[in-house]
Every structure is written in C-alpha cells, then in structure tokens.
C-alpha cells in the first residue's frame, strides 16, 4: 500500500509540473512586443506607444523632464516631448509568473532646429554641385560650377597634453550651456551669511555669474537642522536651541502638530532666513536643492532630549518619531504653501547615514534613540529614515508635488557603501507599517563625489553610478569636486575631470536617469578643500583652471 501511494504521489507531482509548465492562456502563445523600439520626436509633439501580445503593462519613463507620460492605459501610453534629450520608456509586465520589460528609446530634439552634418575638411564632393537660381536671378547659369568649399572645423583652443581631449571654443560658453541640455539641473554651492563671512547670495556680481553658469544651487549649511532649529551664528557645531512654544501658540502661527504628538511644547523653526533665500532664488530664476533634514551632524543635541533640554535624558523612539514628523512636516509645508513652492526642486531627506561613525560633537544622537546596530556598520533598515521620507512624500502629495520633486538619500564615498545604499533604497520603497501603500518614496541617490585623482579611480566611481542606475535609482551628482592627490600633475586632474564627466554623458546617451550635477563651490577661494585646487576656478570666478575646458570638452561629446 505504501508503495502504491508513493507511485500515486509521483504521478500527481508529474502532472502538476506538466500543467504549470504549459502556456498560460493566449498571452503565453503570443509574442509580446512594442509598436516601436525607438522614437525621434520634436519638443512639443506627442506620440502613442502601444504593446501587443499581453493584457496589461505598467509604463515608466527614465526622464520625465525630456519625455513625460500621460493617458496611461493597459496597452498604450501617450509620450509627450518636453525638451531636448534622451529617455527610455519601459513597459513592465508579468508572464508565467516572471517579471519582464520592453524598452523604447526616445530622442527629443528642439522643434524646427536643423542639425547640420559636421563638415569634413579632408573630403570634397566628386560631382560639382549646381547652384539653384534665386527669384531675382536673371543671368543664365554657368555650365561648370565650382566645387563648394566646406566650412573648416574650428581649431581647438585648449588641448590635453595626453591627447585625450580637445576643447572647441564656443561663444560665451558656460557649464549651463554645455550641460543643461544633458542633465537638466546644473548647480553650485552657495551661502547667504554663513561661516567665513561668505555671502555669495547677497552679492550682485556673484549672482550675475551664477545665472549665466548654473540653474540651481545647494546651500552649504543654511538648510541644515542646526540653522532651522537653533542659533547657528552663536555656535557652528553645537548651537543653542530655539525657543519653545506651546501647542496653541504654534497652531496660531500656522504650525502643524502631529496627531501622535503628546508633548506640551514644540520648538520654533527659523523660517526668516530661509524665506529671504527662497526670494533671492526666485528673483534670479534659479532653483534650490533642499539639503538636508536628517543628519547625525549639525543637529542640536536638545532635539533628542527630554523637554528639549540638552542636559536631559534621551527621549524614547516613540517620542522621537513624532518630533521627526513635526520637523519634516512643518519645513516642507512652509515652502510648498508659499509663493516659492517651485523653487525647491529636490530634497536630500537623509544625509550620510552610513557614515555615522564619522562624528563630530553632535554625532552621537540618532544612534542613542534608535537601535541602528553599530554606528560603523548601521542597519540598512532604519525606521526613522523611512519615517522622514514617508512624511516628506505625504506633504508633497498633499500639494500635488510628489511626481515633480524627487526625494533622495545623499552620501559620500559611495563606492564603499553602494550595496548598503541599494538595500536602503529598496527598504524605503517596500510596503510595511510605515510605507503602507508601498509607494516609491525614495527616488534615488545623491552621490556627493568628493573625489581624488588617486582614489577612487574613474572606472570605480562610474561603476558605482551604474550600480545605482541598474538598481532603479535616479542619480544626481550633488557635491562634486576633485583634488590632485599626492604627486599628481594638473594634467592628470584635467584628464580625471574629463573621463568622469564623459562617463556621465555616456550614461545619459543610453537613457540613464542622471538628472543633475552640482559643483561644490564657485572657486577654490571658497572651497571646503581650500588650497587643493578642487574646483574649476582658482582664486576667483575670473580665474578658470584648465580643468574647466576639460569639462566643457566632455560635454561636447554629447552629440557624437
């Protein structure tokens, strides 16, 4: 009997395998394909992309700024050409229990702009070209017309000693002119009234230069918690905490108190300076990166203590959760309910979480309230980070901005922690008790890129970029500077700049979602790496390094 039962079990298992391996309905018998694998479009035009052989797909674009999607249906979507550039539209579907993708490459060019072929001074037509008469031409045409002389290619004005790159001069060239069409956002780092008396945002000549060269900026310090929650001018590293308000006083001033907030008082948030900065940005037609809300540095110790008293005991994680919601909610709502809601185009919600062990005098804080494991190797599932992202995402949704303002995780030395960052990215976007609907609350990664010619190598850094792209992350380069390193020549630094920027350009050619590059300062004179020639200008914005032309040259490969 036992033997018979075994044989019956084997027969049932075999039958089950045959059934599950058989084609599942009509979808398994048909070839799934897109109506087009590539589109060329002009700005302002629209096209419809369709899929056949499957009942339903999910549509996605790699670059909303270039090609947005509307009228999304189960088997079709409308493509809207927004601005010149490249994007990849993906149709994701499930077949026989497996997730699959189809891709359509989209190239958008400016409307009515004709791209002429590059002249070649070494070749001439073998057949004479007969010119056509104009309307007022009365003379008979000559039978033997001269061969037209091609326009010569401009000679490079700056050439690498290595022969790797050569810059072709462009009238009134700028980083914005070269890279705006490639990445969309081209930024720098500015200060309103911070340390070392840097006041670039209040200087007219500086702002004239900024408008010509950039369309966005990041505040070096003045959006960090120590500037919003404390008197940062009294102490840079451990400033005294702001005054406290009763709940009724706060609500009367327009603050939002979270439902679960049980404390009798809340901290005042410094909005005056922020508002002045937002107005300057708006008046100059440039946008700003929100940097940053959650960081183990430059956050007042009182924010983590009972009764907001720096000498008190650390609060519980439950109490701290409500403080996170209060802080993030009110900063975000203040901006997006104002006339400057279009100024802040992206947020670094959390900064340098995977480098918590690199601490200053205010570093031992989040890890004292939350169980993150070792600060030198913290968990990739920090609940307070996810709570901050979800809170910010909910505020953006309330104001209809969730699809317009990406929320990023920002860090340095990313090649060392790329796998951890990818795990964090996946955790943030996973459905759970915090992210109840499993929304994509984290768009991607801000890579600071404080680089050295000696380390990491260009290939290692670009490999990290590719890892993030492959993981589905939007990528922005957020704090770029490059120093010579020990015993490295200026030419090597130029070549490093060129190789790295060209690598980013090449990724964009393939449709990768690299949506911004920010250079961390206007010139070496204001760089945090002063004396190391970290930036593209020397002692002033009128003193360009040769590396600037290497960077220009990398952008000029965009059309190749």
């Amino acid at each position: 009997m036992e033997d018979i039962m075994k044989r019956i079990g084997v027969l049932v298992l075999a039958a089950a395998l045959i059934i599950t391996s058989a084609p599942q309905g009509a979808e398994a018998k048909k070839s799934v394909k897109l109506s087009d694998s590539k589109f060329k479009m002009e700005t302002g035009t629209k096209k419809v992309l369709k899929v056949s052989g499957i009942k339903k797909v999910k549509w996605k674009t790699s670059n909303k700024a270039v090609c947005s999607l509307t009228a999304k249906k189960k088997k079709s979507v409308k493509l809207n050409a927004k601005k010149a550039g490249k994007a990849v539209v993906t149709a994701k579907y499930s077949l026989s229990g497996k997730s699959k993708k189809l891709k359509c490459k989209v190239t958008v060019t400016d409307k009515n702009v004709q791209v002429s072929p590059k002249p070649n001074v070494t070749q001439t037509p073998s057949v004479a070209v007969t010119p056509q008469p104009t309307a007022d031409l009365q003379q008979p045409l000559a039978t033997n017309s001269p061969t037209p002389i091609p326009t010569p290619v401009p000679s490079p004005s700056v050439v690498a000693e290595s022969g790797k790159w050569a810059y072709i001069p462009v009238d009134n060239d700028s980083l914005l002119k070269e890279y705006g069409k490639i990445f969309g956002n081209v930024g720098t780092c500015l200060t309103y009234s911070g340390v070392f008396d840097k006041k670039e945002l209040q200087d007219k000549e500086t702002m004239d230069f900024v408008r010509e060269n950039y369309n966005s900026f990041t505040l070096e310090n003045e959006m960090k918690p120590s500037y919003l929650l404390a008197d940062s001018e009294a102490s840079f590293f451990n400033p005294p905490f702001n005054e406290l308000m009763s709940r009724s006083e706060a609500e009367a001033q327009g603050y939002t108190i979270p439902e679960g907030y049980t404390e009798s008082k809340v901290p005042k948030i410094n909005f005056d300076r922020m508002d002045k900065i937002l107005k300057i940005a708006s008046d100059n037609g440039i946008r700003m990166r929100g940097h940053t809300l959650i960081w183990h540095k430059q956050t007042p110790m009182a924010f983590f203590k009972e009764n907001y008293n720096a000498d008190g005991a650390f609060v519980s994680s439950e109490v701290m959760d409500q403080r996170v919601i209060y802080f993030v909610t009110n900063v975000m709502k203040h901006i997006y309910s104002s006339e400057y809601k279009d100024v802040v185009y992206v947020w670094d919600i959390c900064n340098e979480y995977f480098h918590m062990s690199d601490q200053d005098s205010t570093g031992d804080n989040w890890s004292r309230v939350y169980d993150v494991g070792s600060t030198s190797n913290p968990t990739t599932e920090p609940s307070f980070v996810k709570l901050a992202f979800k809170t910010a995402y909910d505020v953006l949704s309330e104001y209809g901005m969730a699809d317009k303002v990406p929320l990023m995780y920002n860090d340095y030395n990313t090649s060392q922690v790329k796998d951890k960052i990818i795990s964090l990215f996946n955790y943030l976007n996973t459905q759970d008790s915090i992210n109840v609907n499993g929304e994509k609350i984290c768009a991607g990664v801000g890579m600071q890129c404080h680089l050295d010619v000696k380390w990491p190598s260009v290939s290692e850094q670009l490999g990290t970029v590719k890892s993030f792209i492959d993981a589905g992350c939007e990528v922005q380069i957020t704090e770029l500077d490059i120093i010579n390193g020990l015993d490295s020549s200026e030419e090597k630094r130029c070549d490093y700049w060129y190789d790295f920027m060209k690598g980013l350009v090449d990724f964009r050619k393939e449709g990768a979602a690299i949506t911004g590059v920010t250079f961390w300062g206007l010139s070496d004179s204001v760089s945090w790496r002063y004396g190391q020639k970290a930036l593209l200008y020397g002692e002033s914005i009128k003193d360009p390094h040769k590396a600037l032309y290497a960077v220009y040259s990398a952008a000029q490969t965009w059309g190749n």
Side-chain angles (χ1 to χ4, degrees), residues 228-229 241-247 249-251 253-259 261 263 265-271 303 308 319-334 387-388 391 395:
L228 297 178
L229 290 169
F241 203 66
N242 284 351
E243 64 182 86
L244 300 178
M245 304 178 288
S246 68
R247 296 166 63 105
E249 287 176 319
E251 289 174 337
Q253 295 182 36
Y255 286 80
T256 298
I257 310 298
E259 290 183 8
Y261 194 95
E263 298 177 90
K265 294 188 176 183
V266 297
K268 181 180 179 181
I269 301 175
N270 297 329
F271 290 129
F303 189 48
Y308 294 100
V319 170
M320 197 69 216
D321 281 349
Q322 297 304 312
R323 292 186 180 185
V324 169
I325 296 172
Y326 168 81
F327 177 59
V328 174
T329 296
N330 285 290
V331 172
M332 301 281 287
K333 280 195 169 186
H334 180 83
L387 181 63
T391 302
V395 173

Side-chain angles (χ1 to χ4, degrees), residues 294-298 350-367 372-380 382 384-385 409-422 424 445-451 455-456 460-461 464 468 478-479 528:
I294 303 296
W295 194 23
H296 60 276
K297 292 185 179 182
Q298 287 182 254
C350 180
N351 194 50
E352 300 176 5
Y353 168 77
F354 289 110
H355 290 92
M356 293 176 70
S357 59
D358 176 19
Q359 298 173 340
D360 57 27
S361 58
T362 65
D364 193 14
N365 39 43
W366 295 104
S367 60
V372 301
S374 167
T375 56
S376 60
N377 186 27
T379 176
T380 58
F384 69 93
V385 174
Y409 171 75
N410 192 57
D411 213 331
Y412 67 94
N413 288 357
T414 47
S415 60
Q416 293 181 321
V417 290
K418 63 182 178 183
D419 292 337
K420 294 179 181 179
I421 292 175
I422 292 171
L424 173 63
V445 181
M447 300 176 63
Q448 292 183 15
C449 293
H450 296 298
L451 307 176
W455 182 87
E460 182 179 356
Q461 193 68 5
T464 302
F468 292 144
T478 59
E479 303 181 17
W528 74 293

Side-chain angles (χ1 to χ4, degrees), residues 209-236:
F209 175 82
V210 169
R211 285 196 309 275
E212 293 173 2
N213 284 271
Y214 311 95
N215 59 9
S216 67
F217 70 96
T218 305
L219 288 169
E220 188 169 20
N221 289 295
E222 288 146 316
M223 281 282 279
K224 293 172 181 175
S226 60
Y227 281 74
L228 297 178
L229 290 169
D231 182 6
S232 57
E233 295 185 359
S235 172
F236 181 73

Side-chain angles (χ1 to χ4, degrees), residues 328 347-350 384-394 407-410 424 428 441-444:
V328 174
W347 283 88
D348 293 326
I349 296 298
C350 180
F384 69 93
V385 174
K386 189 164 190 171
L387 181 63
F389 270 91
K390 184 62 169 68
T391 302
Y393 183 87
D394 286 346
L407 307 179
M408 314 289 277
Y409 171 75
N410 192 57
L424 173 63
L428 294 174
I441 59 177
C442 176

Side-chain angles (χ1 to χ4, degrees), residues 64-281:
K64 296 178 184 177
V66 171
C67 177
S68 66
L69 304 181
T70 56
K72 294 182 182 180
K73 298 181 180 179
K74 292 181 180 180
K75 300 181 67 173
S76 67
V77 67
K78 185 177 289 184
L79 280 58
N80 306 279
K82 308 292 283 186
K83 70 175 184 178
K86 296 187 179 183
V88 175
V89 176
T90 302
K92 186 177 180 181
Y93 62 98
S94 179
L95 188 61
S96 300
K98 294 183 179 180
S99 179
K100 296 180 178 292
K101 293 181 181 180
L102 295 173
K103 295 183 179 181
C104 174
K105 295 182 179 179
V106 180
T107 302
V108 178
T109 57
D110 288 326
K111 195 170 185 178
N112 298 325
V113 175
Q114 299 295 324
V115 181
S116 302
K118 293 183 179 179
N120 190 330
V121 296
T122 61
Q123 299 180 2
T124 56
S126 58
V127 179
V129 178
T130 304
Q132 299 298 310
T134 59
D136 59 351
L137 184 62
Q138 302 297 324
Q139 299 298 322
L141 296 176
T143 54
N144 294 313
S145 302
T147 300
I149 301 174
T151 302
V153 175
S155 300
S157 62
V158 185
V159 180
E161 289 184 6
S162 64
K164 181 173 289 188
W165 58 269
Y167 169 64
I168 305 298
V170 174
D171 290 341
N172 301 314
D173 211 355
S174 70
L175 291 168
L176 181 58
K177 181 180 289 187
E178 293 287 2
Y179 283 98
K181 60 182 178 290
I182 302 173
F183 300 116
N185 299 296
V186 182
T188 186
C189 170
L190 298 175
T191 294
Y192 178 77
S193 60
V195 294
F196 309 124
D197 201 33
K198 292 188 290 184
K199 299 180 179 180
E200 295 109 329
L201 283 163
Q202 300 185 60
D203 184 78
K204 182 182 182 303
E205 182 181 2
T206 299
M207 292 309 296
D208 289 343
F209 175 82
V210 169
R211 285 196 309 275
E212 293 173 2
N213 284 271
Y214 311 95
N215 59 9
S216 67
F217 70 96
T218 305
L219 288 169
E220 188 169 20
N221 289 295
E222 288 146 316
M223 281 282 279
K224 293 172 181 175
S226 60
Y227 281 74
L228 297 178
L229 290 169
D231 182 6
S232 57
E233 295 185 359
S235 172
F236 181 73
F237 288 109
N238 197 11
F241 203 66
N242 284 351
E243 64 182 86
L244 300 178
M245 304 178 288
S246 68
R247 296 166 63 105
S248 58
E249 287 176 319
E251 289 174 337
Q253 295 182 36
Y255 286 80
T256 298
I257 310 298
E259 290 183 8
Y261 194 95
T262 59
E263 298 177 90
S264 61
K265 294 188 176 183
V266 297
K268 181 180 179 181
I269 301 175
N270 297 329
F271 290 129
D272 290 347
R273 177 169 38 207
M274 180 197 298
D275 290 343
K276 293 176 183 177
I277 293 169
L278 291 171
K279 183 179 187 305
I280 292 172

